[in-house]
């Protein structure tokens, strides 16, 4: 199993590049299930969750080709023949977002059989809202032996009001509704930029969607969708991780190929912390020469402060002067990184959904365990400023969503290396 070894103390200097958004790439790949034509996606990040999605589609009979060399961020998908519209537990258990295939499969094939995702380290994470929405669209749903089976000759447009805002739920039903008979109006939708990116692709494929990125999305169903070419938006969570790294290490870092308009909530909080930043259309420069001040954050749906940046922000808070209160509103069990940060010397008390961080405390290197994707990113950030050599175990969590994290940080001056056998796994042919 791979480990990251990080020696802290170096300010990050220079330019670091942001990859395409994993959370936009996943639904866009699933969207290719809606057509028998070829879908070409550019700016796909090379991360493990994308590889899992490739396997998921390949198991159904799709041809998914990942680019090599200069085209390494291109993925070409052809779902002409879908022999088995099924997603097995083996794949779904490693990536909850696999449920994104449910809506497109039932819309295109008239039936789908997808494993329930089961428990997850960061909370229960049910998919009841996906199921309810598909029922509203006329699908018959049966849950049996840990699988959801959905069937419908053709889905029918309907009004769907989400009881709770769900990102992949919005995306799943948006895809399903594109091929439904008649108009669908979805209320209380997720407004994340990744939803809007998916709608952009679907409209290029011939869908008729209005309002993606707002709480109300209207979809006029069409009988057929076609091939398209689309470039995925930049990963705002990876960009945020780099910006926090620049601030935390007292560096001068230019975070390139991002979209600063997706980062407003973070930038506002960084300003409150005393971090200096400047932005252009596609980059953020962060200058970490001021002492950091404590500030409170509350995670919310977009455009609020993202839960996916909470762990990384906590690492920053350990180095800020004063008390920061971090409230996690989206997931009920998303403070696993706090324990590991405490082992490195942080002063953090958990009170239900709130973490109280008292800073500034010096951090010292320790052997720590990555528990989920964003938690591992916060440990990398803490290690970058810790005294000594931190060893982060279970790096596969970070590989799910960060492309070549050690190469990118090394390029801007971090002392970071990987030990283990990552390469054969990442490029393994098995599907
Ligand atoms: C997506 C992101 C993930 C991010 C999360 C919240 C992807 C692939 N993943 O996850 O990185 O952390 O949004 O921004 O885009 N819920 C229900 N019933 C449902 C669905 C969700 O109760 O059917 C609850 C969840 O348990 C959670 C909340 O709604 O408490 C939000 O979850 P949701 O937005 O669905 O998260 P994901 O789409 O899984």
């Amino acid at each position: 199993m791979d480990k990251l070894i990080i020696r802290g103390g170096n300010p990050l200097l220079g330019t670091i590049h942001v990859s395409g958004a994993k959370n936009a790439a996943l639904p866009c790949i699933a969207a290719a299930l809606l057509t028998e034509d070829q879908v070409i996606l550019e700016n796909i990040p090379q991360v493990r969750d994308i590889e899992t999605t490739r396997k998921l589609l390949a198991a159904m009979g799709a041809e998914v080709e990942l680019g090599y060399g200069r085209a390494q961020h291109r993925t070409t998908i052809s779902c002409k023949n879908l022999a088995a519209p099924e997603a097995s537990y083996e794949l779904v258990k490693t990536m909850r977002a696999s449920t994104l295939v449910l809506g497109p499969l039932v819309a295109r094939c008239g039936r789908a059989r997808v494993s329930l995702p089961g428990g997850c380290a960061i909370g229960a994470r049910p998919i009841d809202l996906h199921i309810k929405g598909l029922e509203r669209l006329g699908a018959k749903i049966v849950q049996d032996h840990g699988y959801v089976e959905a069937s419908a000759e053709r889905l029918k447009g309907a009004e769907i009001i989400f009881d709770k805002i769900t990102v992949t739920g919005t995306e799943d039903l948006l895809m399903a509704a594109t091929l439904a008979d008649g108009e669908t109006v979805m209320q209380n939708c997720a407004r994340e930029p990744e939803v809007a990116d998916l709608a952009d692709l679907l409209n290029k494929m011939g869908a008729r969607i209005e309002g993606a990125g707002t709480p109300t999305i209207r979809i006029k169903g069409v009988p057929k969708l076609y091939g398209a070419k689309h470039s995925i938006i930049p990963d705002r969570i990876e960009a945020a991780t780099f910006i926090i790294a620049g601030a935390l290490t007292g560096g001068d870092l230019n975070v390139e190929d991002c979209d600063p308009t997706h980062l407003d909530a973070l930038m506002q909080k960084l300003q409150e912390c005393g971090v200096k930043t400047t932005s252009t259309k596609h980059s953020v420069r962060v200058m970490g020469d001021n002492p950091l001040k404590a500030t409170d954050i509350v995670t919310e749906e977009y455009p609020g402060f993202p839960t996916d940046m909470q762990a990384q922000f906590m690492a920053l808070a350990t180095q800020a002067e004063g008390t920061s209160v971090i409230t996690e509103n989206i997931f009920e069990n998303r403070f696993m990184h706090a324990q590991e940060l405490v082992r490195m010397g942080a002063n953090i008390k958990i009170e239900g959904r709130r973490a109280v961080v008292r800073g500034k405390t010096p951090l010292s290197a320790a052997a720590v365990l990555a528990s989920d994707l964003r938690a591992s990113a916060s440990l990398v950030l803490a290690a970058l400023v810790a005294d000594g050599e931190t060893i982060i175990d279970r790096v596969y969590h970070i590989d799910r969503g960060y492309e070549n994290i050690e190469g990118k940080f090394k390029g801007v001056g971090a002392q970071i290396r990987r030990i283990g056998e990552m390469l054969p796994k990442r490029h393994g042919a098995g599907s």
Side-chain angles (χ1 to χ4, degrees), residues 331-372:
F331 293 112
E332 72 269 28
N333 186 21
R334 207 175 195 182
F335 283 141
M336 274 98 66
H337 44 284
Q339 255 341 85
E340 300 300 286
L341 293 173
V342 166
R343 294 185 56 245
M344 295 176 75
N347 180 345
I348 305 169
K349 297 269 175 312
I350 305 293
E351 299 164 357
R353 282 180 176 257
R354 296 193 323 164
V356 180
V357 186
R358 291 194 171 83
K360 161 186 188 179
T361 50
L363 298 181
S364 62
V368 289
L369 216 57
S371 54
D372 71 57

Side-chain angles (χ1 to χ4, degrees), residues 315-336:
L316 185 81
T318 69
Q319 299 308 296
E321 228 30 88
T323 301
S324 307
V325 179
I326 296 176
T327 307
E328 174 55 61
N329 269 337
I330 307 294
F331 293 112
E332 72 269 28
N333 186 21
R334 207 175 195 182
F335 283 141
M336 274 98 66

Side-chain angles (χ1 to χ4, degrees), residues 23 96 125-129 164 166-168 308 330-331:
N23 285 354
R96 199 190 114 83
R125 306 185 85 176
I127 60 160
D128 55 312
L129 301 173
K164 192 173 181 181
T166 159
V167 178
T168 48
D308 285 352
I330 307 294
F331 293 112

